[in-house]
């Protein structure tokens, strides 16, 4: 058995027991799949949750299918919150999340006997985007973003953001309230998770934001860095000034922490019960062992050197516990 635990523990101590891990190893036939025995597995792996993390897990499933074609991995996108609603009642094996699990979600999991582990699988930088036709804004401060997005904001024109900007209607697009991206953005920009103006076009589908912003001269939206990279021909990326000057989100600025406050980690949460199934435990093992290749293929930002060390230390600790 060779499977990683989290870089940081969940808010509640719901660690997988050594007995569960040993059972998963026994069911999985040792190092099946990526581990090296070559045993052919079958079954399904049900994943739901964050639309931001979905391309990452989809890339993992495509690579994994080359080794275990009879294991069917399905990846749905109902948002981080929507994913945890299903996960915490036992409907899914793995929950994709662009934020950590909340206290109320932990409680629901506990009430239903759902134990889990948290794995940090990549980094991301929330990207603020505008239309290609926007030739006046290149960088916004956190204070300006707060002025735009805070609850009850009445800012509806670009000249209200900065008097140097033109008299152009401001139309906003962004993450839906079930999205971990919404939770992270509102906390980072407005200082309180979930605190946001409501008169904007929100969706858990980031493609809706791409379409809205790209088709509106005065449009603005936000989502994960990979979605900007996929749509760079349609959108303009803004720099963000978190207090130390304007910074563009990139692999380097997210990994070194200079892109603040919108740099973040991305997670998957596998359930303990699901790890008893050989196909699930083997897929998670493959995901963890190949996280860098998967992140780069999906255009996400791999873990930095320190995160790699923490990940390896956590992996070694769990392997020792499972002996």
């Amino acid at each position: 058995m060779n499977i990683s635990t989290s870089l940081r523990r969940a808010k509640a101590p719901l660690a997988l027991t050594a007995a569960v891990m040993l059972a998963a190893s026994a069911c999985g036939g040792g190092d099946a799949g990526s581990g090296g025995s070559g045993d052919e597995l079958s079954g399904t792996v049900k994943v739901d949750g964050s639309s931001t993390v979905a391309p990452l897990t989809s890339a993992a499933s495509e690579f994994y299918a080359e080794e275990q074609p009879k294991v069917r991995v399905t990846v749905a996108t109902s948002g981080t919150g929507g994913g945890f609603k299903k996960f915490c009642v036992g409907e899914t094996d793995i929950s994709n999340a662009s934020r950590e699990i909340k206290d109320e979600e932990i409680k629901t999991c506990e009430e239903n006997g759902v134990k889990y582990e948290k794995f940090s699988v990549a980094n991301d930088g929330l990207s603020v985007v505008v239309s290609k036709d926007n030739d006046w804004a290149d960088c916004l401060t956190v204070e300006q973003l707060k002025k735009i997005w805070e609850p009850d904001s009445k800012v509806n024109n670009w000249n209200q953001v900065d008097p140097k900007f033109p008299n152009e209607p401001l139309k906003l697009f962004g993450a839906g309230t079930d999205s971990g991206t919404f939770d992270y953005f509102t906390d980072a920009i407005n200082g309180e998770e979930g605190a946001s103006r409501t008169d904007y076009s929100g969706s858990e589908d980031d493609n809706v934001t791409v379409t809205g912003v790209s088709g509106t001269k005065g449009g603005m939206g936000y989502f994960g860095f990979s979605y900007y990279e996929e749509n760079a021909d349609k959108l303009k990326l803004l720099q963000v000034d978190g207090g130390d000057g304007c910074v563009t989100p990139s692999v380097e600025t997210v990994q070194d922490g200079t892109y603040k406050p919108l740099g973040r980690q991305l997670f998957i949460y596998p359930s303990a019960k699901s790890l008893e199934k050989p196909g699930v435990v083997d897929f998670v093992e493959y995901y963890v062992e190949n996280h860098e290749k998967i992140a780069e293929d999906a255009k996400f930002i791999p873990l930095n050197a320190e995160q790699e060390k923490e990940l390896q230390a956590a992996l070694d600790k769990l392997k020792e516990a499972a002996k």
Side-chain angles (χ1 to χ4, degrees):
M1 173 66 188
N2 182 17
I3 184 172
S4 169
T5 188
S6 61
L7 297 181
R8 296 178 294 177
R9 305 300 297 176
K11 293 181 181 177
L14 297 175
L16 304 182
T17 65
V20 169
M21 299 307 298
L22 286 170
S25 178
C27 290
D31 293 327
S34 60
S37 74
D39 293 348
E40 187 172 74
L41 304 176
S42 62
T44 61
V45 182
K46 295 182 180 179
V47 187
D48 203 336
S50 168
S51 62
T52 298
V53 184
L56 193 67
T57 301
S58 294
S61 70
E62 290 172 8
F63 282 126
Y64 182 67
E66 296 174 6
E67 297 199 6
Q68 295 290 352
K70 292 187 178 181
V71 177
R72 182 169 177 262
V73 181
T74 63
V75 183
T77 55
S78 56
T80 297
F84 277 130
K85 287 177 184 176
K86 297 178 182 180
F87 179 76
C88 288
V89 295
E91 292 181 8
T92 57
D93 300 308
I94 299 170
S95 206
N96 287 332
S98 57
R99 58 159 171 80
E100 295 187 42
I101 192 168
K102 294 181 179 180
D103 289 339
E104 59 266 31
E105 293 161 344
I106 291 172
K107 182 178 179 181
T108 302
C109 279
E110 289 177 334
E111 290 172 347
N112 290 285
V114 176
K115 296 183 179 182
Y116 55 82
E117 279 289 348
K118 178 183 68 176
F119 299 82
S120 177
V121 289
N123 293 303
D124 188 26
L126 284 190
S127 301
V128 180
V129 295
V130 294
S131 166
K132 283 280 192 182
D133 294 328
N134 184 323
D135 59 3
W136 57 88
D138 295 307
C139 175
L140 294 179
T141 66
V142 170
E143 289 73 18
Q144 288 173 319
L145 288 170
K146 184 176 187 294
K147 182 180 179 181
I148 293 168
W149 287 99
E150 64 186 347
D152 302 320
S153 171
K154 303 302 180 185
V155 175
N156 57 18
N157 196 293
W158 277 95
N159 61 18
Q160 293 174 273
V161 179
D162 187 325
K164 296 179 182 177
F165 292 160
N167 178 20
E168 182 67 41
L170 174 65
K171 188 172 183 180
L172 299 174
F173 304 84
T177 57
D178 264 345
S179 170
T181 297
F182 171 82
D183 293 331
Y184 191 91
F185 184 84
T186 52
D187 184 40
I189 298 302
N190 295 331
E192 180 182 349
E193 193 173 282
S196 174
R197 66 189 297 170
T198 58
D199 57 338
Y200 74 98
S201 298
S203 175
E204 275 71 38
D205 183 352
D206 292 322
N207 291 314
V208 173
T209 299
V210 171
T211 301
V213 175
S214 62
T216 309
K217 184 176 181 179
M220 172 192 286
Y222 64 88
F223 42 51
F225 182 63
S226 67
Y227 279 93
Y228 165 71
E229 288 197 312
E230 290 178 8
N231 297 278
D233 59 327
K234 305 174 186 175
L235 300 166
K236 176 181 174 180
L237 180 65
L238 294 186
Q239 295 180 311
V240 174
D241 184 351
D244 296 316
C246 297
V247 179
T248 303
S250 68
V251 172
E252 293 76 16
T253 60
V254 170
Q255 286 187 334
D256 67 19
T258 57
Y259 183 63
K260 55 186 181 182
L262 295 178
R264 60 176 176 172
Q265 289 182 304
L266 302 176
F267 309 95
I268 61 170
Y269 284 73
S271 78
K273 185 175 182 180
S274 292
L275 288 178
E276 296 176 13
K277 297 187 287 186
V280 176
V281 73
D282 197 59
F283 172 66
V284 172
E285 178 186 33
Y286 180 88
Y287 201 149
V288 170
E289 291 184 346
N290 296 277
H291 64 85
E292 183 174 3
K293 177 177 76 171
I294 292 165
E296 290 176 346
D297 182 80
K299 295 184 174 62
F300 281 93
I301 298 167
L303 303 177
N304 62 32
E306 185 60 33
Q307 291 168 335
E308 286 269 9
K309 291 178 183 178
E310 293 175 2
L311 178 61
Q312 186 59 52
L315 175 61
D316 292 343
K317 182 178 179 180
L318 188 59
K319 286 166 63 179
E320 183 65 28
K323 287 181 179 179

